Amino acid sequence: MGKLIRLELFNFKSYKGHHTLLFGDSYFTSIIGPNGSGKSNSMDAISFVLGIKSSHLRSSHLRDLVYRGRVLRTSTINGDGSATAKTNGYTNGNAGTDLEDSQNGMQQSQSERNDPKSAWVMAVYEDDAGDELLWKRTITNQGVSEYRINNHVVTAQQYNEALEAENILIKARNFLVFQGDVEAIASQSPRDLTKLIEQISGSLEYKAEYERLKESQEQTAEHQNYNLNRRRGINSEIKQYQEQKKEADNYAKKADERDQAIVTHILWKLFHFQRVMEESGREIQKHQEELKESRRGVEKYERGLDDAKKDQAKVGRDVSKVERNIKRKEKDIEEKENGLVPIDEKISISNKNIKRYSTRLAEITKERDTQSSTVDKLKKGLKEVEKAEKKWEDEWKKRAKNEGRVLSEADLEEYRNLKAEVNKRTSANQIKVDNLTRERKTDEEMVNSLKSKVESTEWQVQKLEGEMNDIKERKDTIGTQNRQIAKEIDAKKKEYTAMTSERLRTAQKQTELDEKLQEVLNKLIEADDGQRQSEKERRMKETISTLKRIFPGVRGRISELCKPKLKKYGDAVSTVLGRHFDAVVVDNEKTAKDCIQYLRDQRSGQGTFIPLDTIQVKAVNSNLKGMHRGVRVAIDTIEYDNSVERAMSYACGNAVVCDDLATAKYMCYEKGVEAKAVTLDGTVIHKGGLMTGGRGPGQQNARRWEDAEVENLQKLKDKLLADIAALPRGHRRGTEEETLQGELTGLEQQSSYTREELQGLERNLASKKKELEFVRHQLDEVKPKYEEKSQNLRSLRDNQKEFQDAVSEVEDKVFADFCRRLSYDDIRAYEAQQGSLQQEGAQRRLEFTMQKSKLENQLSFETQRLESTNDRIKILENQAQQDQHLISDLEAEKETMQNELDTLNAEIDQLKEQLEEVKTRYNKRAEKVAEQRREVQKRSKHVEGTLKAVTGLEAEIQRNAAGRYALLRRCKLEDIDIPLAEGSRNLDQLPIDELLQADPDMMDVDEDTNAGQMQPPAVQDYGIEIDFDNLDDDLKENSEDKVEEDLQEKISTLGSELDKMAPNMRAIERLEGVESRLKGTEKDFEDARKAAKKAKDDFQEVKEQRFELFNKAFSHISEQIGQVYKDLTRSVGFPMGGQAYLDMEDSDEPYLDGIKYHAMPPFKRFRDMEHLSGGEKTMAALALLFAVHSYQPSPFFVLDEVDAALDNTNVAKIANYIREHAGPGMQFIVISLKTGLFQGSEALVGIYRDQAANSSKALTLDLRKYL
């Protein structure tokens, strides 16, 4: 074999321009380089030049293989050496060097970058003779490929043929292992491994021809069987028709005898029909003469009856008119009464409102009285204070006059002089003291006034707070009462709802249970026929149970051991099983004999037994399966245990189950299938062509499989009855609900009253709250002023005291002698004596002023409250007055409507009296009509009797005429030849679609009602007259039923004999047709046999070729896989290595099934491939790849990073294996990043990235020089 010397690339993927990867004479070359340098692109280059599709080259289109564009400085290098640009955190680009700048306008077209338009790869190969072959493949940026061999353009097919000539198989890819293929091979399924071996062996090329010839063989075999069945069927028909011809001759003789008996019977009946019609006609003529006289007497009374009826009808119309008036008045009364209902309701509501207003008025009036009493008390108190003030003024004036001390004029003069001296010395301080005194007095008056206001306001606040507390307590009490009522209402509602829900739930539950019970009962009624077991069936079950207990080998009846897979198969399966339905299955013949002997001894009847060990079972015809979509082999439609399969096969035989009768006919008559065909409804077409239908014991047997279902229905029925009985009875629930509803209504009214009272209290509380807020606001305004003025007053007093002390010091000096002489401690004591009375009077006046102010404020507040209360009373009185007016209006309206009702009732009473009078007249007229009718009936009784007799005779004539017509019609339809009289019409002229009709030749005349003449009915005889000469006289004279029974019995006997014979009357002509058809069938069968033999021979030839190719490759790979795996897994510690082998799932046609690959690493037990570790899977996959490659090996083997999942130990084993097997005929080119692999190679091809040139480049190093 040759070897690959070098690889030349031009503008291929990351290789810009022309590059050469030199392998030289090395048989173990490693391609190495850092990630992103483009070493994997060299693998793509080898694959590309050797014709591998683009889907395996990590590119979606071949045009992506052409070198493209520049790389930005911000680009990143991919694992394959291509570049991807980054912009704003997003990467743009693809798996070549096609880079894009996005979103910032830096995108360049190909014309701007001057990208190359094409790329090529050339592999230089040296064959065994030392000649070089140049394989070159070019691709343009449009995706167009060109192939060249030694610089000559060739087609893709020629290119592939040239590679296959050097054992480089592109389809099998026996020279490449891509990155990731090892893992895929390790985890592939058995069928995938079979497909791989088929590709390697070349047997895959025969797959299409194999499948085509196999289908052809099956079709020709089916056609041959079809013609064979046709020929057998025709032979059977010939034999059958020959027997039927003899039966037909005997049948014809019996048929003549039966026809003569039928003619005799018909003549006998026709004769007596005609005799009865003639006798009845004479009797009718006689009765008609009698009727003439009787009718003349009846007509007089009939006229009187008509007059009486007219009078009665006239009075009846008057009765109807009065009754309509009464109904109209009653309708008006009903409308008026309905109109009274809302008026009564409004009156009731208004009365309730007035009652509520009265209660509220009483409460507010009580409150007003309290307030009025308070106002009176305040007024009285104010008068008492004023009276006390006046009394004190009088007393104070008398006291001041009695207690004052009088000085002499000299002392007074001295006092004035000294006082002037003091004023002169303390004029400034005195002025200040006077000013401060005036200010103090003014402030004291203001402080006292403010104090009075504060105290009055605080009193109002306390009073309002007390009232609000009372209102709140009342509100809380009513609220508690309202909540209690609400709770009671909720409880009652819940109780009422629960009671209603329970009643409805119980009713609904009972309805549901009744419906379910009715449904179950209907199902039980439907299943009753199949479930009503006879005494014989019951005894049979007991006998089978006893046999099972005594003899362990008894399995049970066929019907108990199998069950239809689907319910629709029930009738069909029971029909197929037929007489075997109740057969008993036993283990062996001895058990069957013991069971038979037991039945004899116990006299328990008979039974059929099927011993599993000796029963003769014919294999099911495999051709029946899949012949038609609507056809299934009978044994495939039942479920059974495998232990009784022989018994089921024996019972079912070759019977087939068809979806419908048309399918069954198609299978039996057109396809010629020799099998019993049974439809889903139980219709059977037997092997001989006979058809059986209708309902038979098979359908009853089918119901036995429904025993469990019927038992479940019985249990369900008992459960439903128990549930219905357990339901509570609701006969007293209506009264309880009405009682609860009444209680609820009362509670809701009480709740409404309390809510209204609560609303009134809330309004009162809101009013009090506003008053309180207003008073507090006044207090908040006055109190700070009072405190401020009080503080100012204290400050003023302090200032006044300072200046007063200064003045007092001067006074003490000036008035010292004066005071000693008059025995006063100081001058102020003298002045105090004179001024204490004035001061005391001022203090008392201030107290009276404050008390009067307080009482006036309280009086003003209470007066305002009283006015507000009076306003509220006035509003309530107005509302009550409005409701009272409304009640008066409603009462007036009610009275008006009541008067109208009284008027209407009076009118109805009058109409009823009028109706009674009219009815009395009507009854008199009715009595007169009845009397006239009795007279007519009395005189018409004889006429009616005569008419009844005539009618009976006419009916007799019609019956006999109809019987005569029916017999004649039957003779015409059934072609019965009866003798006719001379001149009679033929039976062909008898109409068969018409009823019995009168004589068409008879003239139509108007009926004369006064004549009383009735004509006998004329019956149409259609001009047919029967010749009764051949009828025996005995038959003419005797018309008893016994004669007809004898005639019928004779006909039935002959008919029964004919029915039993059932010959085929067309057997002769069909026999001739079948014999001629047999000749054509013989020719078709022979042609089909030859075609089937030829198709079988052709198929066997292709099958042998495919098997030989596949088996040759499998045998070689199976032999090599064990040694290769041992070599790969051998080590110093495990010199024997591991074990690996291939296992066929189908040894006859292995390519139709899977091939399992088993590998056991050294000193490890057997495990499935998926349970091995990653390294163990890789070693096993490599062993398989090397073994596959050894069959029709290519001159070189390219491996792309197959050691990625291996540790250093296994990498070393791979390196040793490659180094040992590398040599002439086996060149290894390995792409790897692991030192343990490429350091043992003969040559290295280094791939690196030249950033300046924006291209991948290669260097070659021969390591053999350094060994």
Side-chain angles (χ1 to χ4, degrees):
M1 288 187 179
K3 60 183 296 186
L4 191 62
I5 297 176
R6 66 180 181 273
L7 191 69
E8 297 184 14
L9 299 84
F10 180 74
N11 290 333
F12 184 81
K13 294 192 81 171
S14 62
Y15 294 89
K16 181 180 180 182
H18 187 271
H19 299 272
T20 301
L21 275 65
L22 183 63
F23 306 127
D25 57 352
S26 170
Y27 287 101
F28 183 10
T29 303
S30 294
I31 300 176
I32 62 175
N35 287 331
S37 60
K39 61 182 181 295
S40 292
N41 289 342
S42 61
M43 180 71 169
D44 291 341
I46 295 173
S47 305
F48 172 73
V49 74
L50 296 179
I52 300 299
K53 294 181 179 180
S54 62
S55 59
H56 298 289
L57 303 180
R58 299 177 298 163
S59 298
S60 58
H61 303 286
L62 286 175
R63 62 175 177 269
D64 295 336
L65 302 177
V66 181
Y67 176 86
R68 288 183 291 176
R70 64 186 178 86
V71 179
L72 301 177
R73 292 182 180 179
T74 58
S75 302
T76 57
I77 305 303
N78 298 328
D80 59 353
S82 61
T84 303
K86 292 181 179 178
T87 303
N88 296 331
Y90 293 90
T91 301
N92 300 303
N94 53 17
T97 56
D98 185 14
L99 304 174
E100 298 178 359
D101 297 318
S102 62
Q103 302 178 1
N104 54 8
M106 298 186 65
Q107 184 176 0
Q108 296 180 344
S109 63
Q110 284 190 351
S111 60
E112 292 173 347
R113 294 197 303 261
N114 295 323
D115 288 346
K117 305 297 183 183
S118 64
W120 55 262
V121 178
M122 182 174 67
V124 180
Y125 176 78
E126 184 181 279
D127 60 12
D128 294 337
D131 298 331
E132 288 188 356
L133 294 176
L134 305 180
W135 293 324
K136 184 177 180 181
R137 184 180 179 186
T138 305
I139 183 68
T140 67
N141 58 3
Q142 302 299 322
V144 179
S145 293
E146 181 186 75
Y147 299 92
R148 291 175 179 267
I149 299 178
N150 294 332
N151 293 325
H152 294 291
V153 178
V154 296
T155 63
Q157 183 177 357
Q158 292 173 340
Y159 194 81
N160 290 340
E161 290 174 354
L163 293 174
E164 290 177 0
E166 297 297 330
N167 215 20
I168 301 173
L169 306 179
I170 296 174
K171 293 182 180 179
R173 285 167 48 196
N174 64 336
F175 57 91
L176 294 174
V177 179
F178 285 102
Q179 184 176 352
D181 282 357
V182 174
E183 183 179 354
I185 290 172
S187 59
Q188 66 183 349
S189 64
R191 287 190 177 276
D192 293 335
L193 183 56
T194 303
K195 185 177 180 181
L196 176 63
I197 295 177
E198 276 211 280
Q199 290 176 341
I200 295 297
S201 65
S203 64
L204 189 63
E205 297 179 359
Y206 291 94
K207 181 179 179 181
E209 185 69 12
Y210 171 88
E211 292 176 350
R212 184 186 66 81
L213 291 175
K214 183 177 182 180
E215 183 179 0
S216 176
Q217 179 194 4
E218 291 174 353
Q219 290 178 351
T220 53
E222 182 180 357
H223 188 59
Q224 179 185 0
N225 291 334
Y226 171 71
N227 284 289
L228 177 62
N229 291 331
R230 280 183 60 198
R231 188 180 69 174
R232 290 175 178 173
I234 291 172
N235 287 328
S236 176
E237 285 183 39
I238 290 175
K239 182 178 180 181
Q240 183 179 358
Y241 287 141
Q242 288 174 348
E243 295 175 355
Q244 290 175 357
K245 182 176 178 296
K246 297 178 181 178
E247 295 177 358
D249 295 337
N250 293 331
Y251 183 84
K253 184 177 180 181
K254 285 284 183 184
D256 292 339
E257 295 180 9
R258 183 199 60 188
D259 293 343
Q260 185 58 41
I262 290 172
V263 169
T264 302
H265 177 244
I266 290 174
L267 287 175
W268 177 80
K269 293 187 73 174
L270 288 173
F271 176 81
H272 290 288
F273 282 152
Q274 187 168 342
R275 179 182 60 79
V276 172
M277 286 191 295
E278 292 174 354
E279 292 176 354
S280 297
R282 289 192 293 271
E283 288 292 328
I284 289 173
Q285 191 66 35
K286 179 180 177 182
H287 287 306
Q288 285 176 351
E289 295 295 332
E290 297 176 358
L291 282 173
K292 289 180 182 180
E293 294 298 329
S294 300
R295 282 191 171 179
R296 291 191 185 97
V298 172
E299 289 175 357
K300 176 183 177 182
Y301 290 97
E302 286 180 346
R303 285 192 294 272
L305 178 61
D306 292 338
D307 294 338
K309 284 182 178 180
K310 290 177 182 179
D311 292 341
Q312 184 187 16
K314 183 178 180 181
V315 177
R317 286 192 293 272
D318 295 337
V319 171
S320 300
K321 183 178 179 180
V322 174
E323 287 177 345
R324 286 195 298 271
N325 291 332
I326 290 174
K327 288 182 180 179
R328 185 165 61 250
K329 296 296 181 181
E330 288 176 346
K331 186 176 181 182
D332 294 339
I333 290 173
E334 185 179 358
E335 291 176 356
K336 296 293 182 182
E337 289 176 347
N338 292 335
L340 283 175
V341 173
I343 293 176
D344 292 336
E345 187 67 24
K346 289 179 182 178
I347 292 173
S348 175
I349 293 172
S350 298
N351 285 326
K352 290 179 182 177
N353 291 336
I354 290 173
K355 184 178 180 182
R356 191 171 70 252
Y357 295 151
S358 300
T359 304
R360 187 62 182 155
L361 274 172
E363 294 176 356
I364 297 175
T365 303
K366 186 178 179 181
E367 184 179 350
R368 183 191 64 182
D369 295 340
T370 304
Q371 293 173 357
S372 179
S373 175
T374 304
V375 169
D376 293 338
K377 287 180 181 178
L378 290 173
K379 287 181 179 180
K380 183 178 180 182
L382 184 59
K383 288 180 180 180
E384 291 176 353
V385 170
E386 290 176 349
K387 185 177 180 181
E389 183 182 12
K390 185 177 179 182
K391 182 178 180 182
W392 174 82
E393 285 286 347
D394 296 337
E395 291 176 355
W396 182 80
K397 289 178 180 179
K398 291 179 181 180
R399 180 184 173 192
K401 184 177 180 181
N402 294 328
E403 292 183 359
R405 180 182 297 178
V406 180
L407 297 178
S408 63
E409 288 295 330
D411 293 336
L412 288 174
E413 182 64 27
E414 185 181 359
Y415 172 76
R416 286 192 290 270
N417 292 332
L418 290 174
K419 194 68 175 177
E421 181 65 24
V422 171
N423 290 335
K424 199 181 288 184
R425 290 181 184 183
T426 61
S427 59
N429 290 332
Q430 191 67 43
I431 291 170
K432 290 184 179 178
V433 169
D434 293 339
N435 292 334
L436 290 173
T437 300
R438 286 192 300 271
E439 290 180 9
R440 181 177 60 81
K441 289 181 179 181
T442 303
D443 289 347
E444 284 178 351
E445 291 178 358
M446 186 176 291
V447 167
N448 291 331
S449 176
L450 290 173
K451 183 179 180 182
S452 176
K453 286 186 178 180
V454 168
E455 290 177 354
S456 175
T457 307
E458 288 178 347
W459 178 81
Q460 289 181 3
V461 169
Q462 292 176 358
K463 184 176 181 180
L464 288 172
E465 286 178 347
E467 292 177 353
M468 287 180 66
N469 290 332
D470 294 340
I471 293 173
K472 286 181 179 178
E473 289 177 1
R474 175 63 178 166
K475 180 183 174 184
D476 292 340
T477 303
I478 295 176
T480 303
Q481 183 180 358
N482 192 29
R483 285 192 294 274
Q484 185 64 29
I485 293 172
K487 288 182 181 179
E488 291 180 7
I489 289 174
D490 291 340
K492 294 292 183 182
K493 282 185 177 180
K494 287 181 181 178
E495 185 178 357
Y496 180 76
T497 304
M499 188 175 294
T500 306
S501 301
E502 180 66 20
R503 177 175 56 79
L504 294 175
R505 188 191 66 79
T506 302
Q508 183 178 3
K509 183 70 174 176
Q510 185 164 3
T511 303
E512 293 176 357
L513 292 175
D514 289 340
E515 292 176 354
K516 290 181 180 179
L517 179 62
Q518 187 62 41
E519 183 179 354
V520 170
L521 291 175
N522 291 336
K523 290 182 179 179
L524 286 173
I525 291 172
E526 292 176 1
D528 185 58
D529 292 337
Q531 293 302 311
R532 191 182 296 117
Q533 297 181 350
S534 63
E535 185 67 21
K536 180 180 178 182
E537 173 65 18
R538 187 183 61 78
R539 288 200 305 270
M540 175 59 74
K541 280 192 174 183
E542 293 176 355
T543 302
I544 297 299
S545 299
T546 304
L547 290 176
K548 285 183 179 180
R549 189 170 58 254
I550 297 174
F551 305 106
V554 177
R555 301 294 184 92
R557 290 187 292 180
I558 290 284
S559 59
E560 298 168 351
L561 297 174
C562 69
K563 182 181 180 182
K565 291 182 177 179
L566 297 175
K567 192 173 182 180
K568 66 178 183 178
Y569 297 140
D571 292 341
V573 171
S574 60
T575 304
V576 168
L577 296 177
R579 58 190 177 88
H580 299 301
F581 192 84
D582 289 324
V584 182
V585 180
V586 296
D587 287 343
N588 48 55
E589 186 178 2
K590 181 179 182 302
T591 304
K593 290 180 179 179
D594 292 343
C595 291
I596 292 171
Q597 186 61 41
Y598 175 82
L599 293 177
R600 288 175 179 170
D601 296 342
Q602 299 296 325
R603 296 184 179 180
S604 299
Q606 296 179 344
T608 303
F609 294 87
I610 302 177
L612 294 174
D613 61 339
T614 59
I615 196 71
Q616 298 296 323
V617 179
K618 294 182 180 179
V620 178
N621 188 356
S622 60
N623 293 328
L624 296 176
K625 297 183 178 181
M627 290 188 70
H628 191 277
R629 184 175 60 185
V631 177
R632 297 159 197 81
V633 180
I635 197 169
D636 292 341
T637 62
I638 58 176
E639 295 177 351
Y640 55 87
D641 189 79
N642 291 333
S643 60
V644 295
E645 182 178 4
R646 287 173 55 81
M648 298 303 163
S649 299
Y650 172 77
C652 295
N654 276 334
V656 294
V657 176
C658 304
D659 287 348
D660 48 39
L661 185 59
T663 305
K665 289 180 179 179
Y666 170 77
M667 294 294 296
C668 295
Y669 298 150
E670 297 185 20
K671 298 289 286 185
V673 175
E674 289 189 354
K676 181 168 68 173
V678 183
T679 63
L680 295 179
D681 60 359
T683 303
V684 184
I685 299 180
H686 299 275
K687 293 182 180 180
L690 296 178
M691 186 183 301
T692 304
R695 297 195 63 83
Q699 282 76 6
Q700 297 298 327
N701 290 334
R703 290 184 176 272
R704 293 194 198 170
W705 284 305
E706 300 175 1
D707 285 346
E709 183 178 354
V710 173
E711 185 176 354
N712 292 334
L713 287 174
Q714 290 287 357
K715 292 180 180 178
L716 181 59
K717 183 194 75 173
D718 296 338
K719 182 178 180 300
L720 290 173
L721 289 174
D723 292 343
I724 292 173
L727 288 175
R729 301 302 175 187
H731 60 278
R732 300 178 63 183
R733 293 186 180 274
T735 305
E736 294 176 358
E737 288 181 10
E738 291 176 359
T739 304
L740 274 176
Q741 195 168 7
E743 294 176 358
L744 268 174
T745 303
L747 288 173
E748 286 175 351
Q749 289 178 353
Q750 189 176 355
S751 176
S752 175
Y753 295 152
T754 55
R755 283 198 301 270
E756 290 177 359
E757 187 173 358
L758 273 176
Q759 290 173 0
L761 289 174
E762 287 176 354
R763 288 194 297 270
N764 195 5
L765 184 62
S767 176
K768 296 291 182 183
K769 190 174 182 182
K770 288 181 180 179
E771 291 181 18
L772 181 61
E773 289 176 355
F774 176 74
V775 174
R776 282 178 175 172
H777 180 67
Q778 286 182 339
L779 181 62
D780 293 339
E781 289 180 352
V782 173
K783 197 169 185 178
K785 291 181 181 180
Y786 168 70
E787 292 174 353
E788 182 182 357
K789 292 296 181 181
S790 297
Q791 183 66 31
N792 293 338
L793 182 60
R794 286 191 294 272
S795 300
L796 188 63
R797 284 174 178 171
D798 293 339
N799 291 335
Q800 182 186 8
K801 187 175 181 304
E802 291 176 2
F803 290 107
Q804 186 66 45
D805 290 342
V807 172
S808 297
E809 186 178 354
V810 174
E811 286 178 344
D812 289 341
K813 290 179 180 180
V814 173
F815 285 100
D817 295 335
F818 179 80
C819 289
R820 280 193 300 269
R821 184 169 57 85
L822 296 176
S823 299
Y824 284 106
D825 292 336
D826 50 35
I827 193 62
R828 290 181 296 280
Y830 168 75
E831 291 177 349
Q833 182 183 3
Q834 295 296 321
S836 60
L837 291 174
Q838 299 295 330
Q839 185 177 359
E840 182 182 355
Q843 181 67 28
R844 291 285 293 182
R845 289 188 187 96
L846 179 61
E847 290 176 358
F848 279 118
T849 301
M850 288 177 64
Q851 193 172 2
K852 285 167 64 179
S853 177
K854 182 178 180 181
L855 290 172
E856 287 173 353
N857 289 333
Q858 290 179 359
L859 181 59
S860 174
F861 173 74
E862 290 297 334
T863 304
Q864 290 177 359
R865 286 182 61 198
L866 182 59
E867 291 175 355
S868 175
T869 303
N870 288 328
D871 292 338
R872 288 162 58 196
I873 290 173
K874 195 172 186 180
I875 291 171
L876 287 173
E877 288 176 347
N878 291 334
Q879 290 178 347
Q881 188 176 4
Q882 290 176 1
D883 284 345
Q884 191 66 42
H885 290 322
L886 178 61
I887 290 173
S888 300
D889 295 339
L890 292 173
E891 290 289 350
E893 184 179 355
K894 179 179 179 182
E895 185 177 359
T896 303
M897 295 184 70
Q898 192 66 48
N899 292 333
E900 293 177 356
L901 280 173
D902 294 340
T903 303
L904 290 172
N905 286 324
E907 291 177 356
I908 286 180
D909 292 339
Q910 292 178 0
L911 289 173
K912 287 182 177 178
E913 292 175 359
Q914 184 179 355
L915 179 63
E916 290 297 328
E917 294 176 359
V918 177
K919 282 187 175 180
T920 302
R921 288 162 51 202
Y922 180 79
N923 292 334
K924 292 180 179 179
R925 300 294 189 279
E927 289 177 2
K928 186 177 180 181
V929 170
E931 184 179 356
Q932 292 292 331
R933 184 176 287 113
R934 284 193 295 272
E935 292 293 334
V936 171
Q937 289 176 353
K938 185 190 300 182
R939 287 161 178 76
S940 300
K941 190 173 182 181
H942 178 68
V943 175
E944 290 176 357
T946 306
L947 288 174
K948 186 175 181 181
V950 171
T951 303
L953 293 171
E954 289 176 349
E956 186 68 21
I957 292 173
Q958 292 292 339
R959 281 197 300 272
N960 285 274
R964 180 178 183 275
Y965 170 75
L967 286 174
L968 294 175
R969 185 173 180 272
R970 175 189 169 192
C971 293
K972 178 179 179 179
L973 294 176
E974 297 180 7
D975 291 332
I976 299 174
D977 188 13
I978 59 175
L980 300 176
E982 187 176 353
S984 173
R985 293 184 180 181
N986 294 327
L987 289 177
D988 296 337
Q989 298 178 6
L990 179 72
I992 60 174
D993 296 328
E994 298 181 8
L995 296 175
L996 191 65
Q997 55 186 349
D999 190 351
D1001 298 331
M1002 194 171 72
M1003 181 182 299
D1004 293 334
V1005 296
D1006 294 334
E1007 183 180 358
D1008 185 3
T1009 58
N1010 297 322
Q1013 180 68 31
M1014 295 182 59
Q1015 298 294 329
V1019 178
Q1020 174 64 276
D1021 59 2
Y1022 304 100
I1024 298 174
E1025 297 181 10
I1026 311 300
D1027 185 4
F1028 298 107
D1029 294 340
N1030 295 330
L1031 187 64
D1032 294 342
D1033 293 337
D1034 295 338
L1035 294 175
K1036 289 179 180 180
E1037 295 175 357
N1038 194 349
S1039 60
E1040 297 179 357
D1041 295 338
K1042 182 68 171 58
V1043 176
E1044 184 173 9
E1045 290 177 1
D1046 294 339
L1047 294 174
Q1048 289 281 15
E1049 183 179 359
K1050 181 177 181 181
I1051 295 171
S1052 299
T1053 302
L1054 292 172
S1056 300
E1057 293 176 358
L1058 289 172
D1059 291 340
K1060 292 178 182 178
M1061 297 174 69
N1064 185 356
M1065 304 306 294
R1066 302 180 62 187
I1068 298 174
E1069 57 185 71
R1070 288 189 176 180
L1071 180 61
E1072 296 174 356
V1074 170
E1075 288 175 348
S1076 62
R1077 202 171 66 207
L1078 179 62
K1079 296 178 182 178
T1081 303
E1082 289 284 356
K1083 182 178 182 302
D1084 293 341
F1085 173 73
E1086 188 62 27
D1087 294 340
R1089 188 185 63 78
K1090 292 178 181 179
K1093 184 176 184 303
K1094 183 177 184 304
K1096 182 178 180 181
D1097 295 341
D1098 294 343
F1099 172 71
Q1100 287 296 330
E1101 182 180 356
V1102 172
K1103 177 181 176 182
E1104 289 172 0
Q1105 290 176 353
R1106 186 180 184 186
F1107 177 79
E1108 183 178 355
L1109 289 173
F1110 186 90
N1111 194 48
K1112 180 179 179 183
F1114 175 80
S1115 299
H1116 175 83
I1117 295 170
S1118 182
E1119 292 173 0
Q1120 295 293 323
I1121 189 71
Q1123 187 60 41
V1124 172
Y1125 188 70
K1126 286 181 180 179
D1127 294 343
L1128 286 175
T1129 56
R1130 182 184 296 118
S1131 63
V1132 178
F1134 308 108
M1136 296 301 295
Q1139 296 183 6
Y1141 62 91
L1142 298 176
D1143 184 18
M1144 286 184 182
E1145 294 182 356
D1146 186 354
S1147 58
D1148 293 334
E1149 292 185 274
Y1151 38 77
L1152 297 181
D1153 217 326
I1155 293 177
K1156 293 184 178 179
Y1157 176 34
H1158 304 284
M1160 290 181 289
F1163 293 102
K1164 287 192 177 182
R1165 61 183 177 83
F1166 171 78
R1167 286 184 293 179
D1168 292 335
M1169 186 66 71
E1170 60 266 18
H1171 295 154
L1172 298 178
S1173 64
E1176 291 170 346
K1177 286 182 180 180
T1178 302
M1179 297 297 287
L1182 287 173
L1184 179 60
L1185 285 172
F1186 290 143
V1188 169
H1189 183 266
S1190 66
Y1191 181 78
Q1192 293 184 353
S1194 63
F1196 51 83
F1197 204 20
V1198 185
L1199 307 174
D1200 185 6
E1201 296 189 21
V1202 297
D1203 55 353
L1206 298 177
D1207 55 13
N1208 293 331
T1209 303
N1210 287 325
V1211 169
K1213 292 178 182 180
I1214 295 295
N1216 292 334
Y1217 181 86
I1218 294 175
R1219 195 163 44 248
E1220 290 174 1
H1221 292 80
M1226 178 64 86
Q1227 179 186 10
F1228 286 94
I1229 300 173
V1230 180
I1231 299 174
S1232 176
L1233 285 174
K1234 295 198 175 181
T1235 308
L1237 182 60
F1238 65 73
Q1239 69 183 0
S1241 59
E1242 297 178 355
L1244 290 177
V1245 175
I1247 307 298
Y1248 66 96
R1249 181 78 179 177
D1250 188 348
Q1251 294 293 347
N1254 193 24
S1255 173
S1256 298
K1257 292 189 177 181
L1259 295 175
T1260 302
L1261 180 64
D1262 190 353
L1263 298 180
R1264 290 173 293 184
K1265 298 178 181 179
Y1266 306 101
L1267 296 177

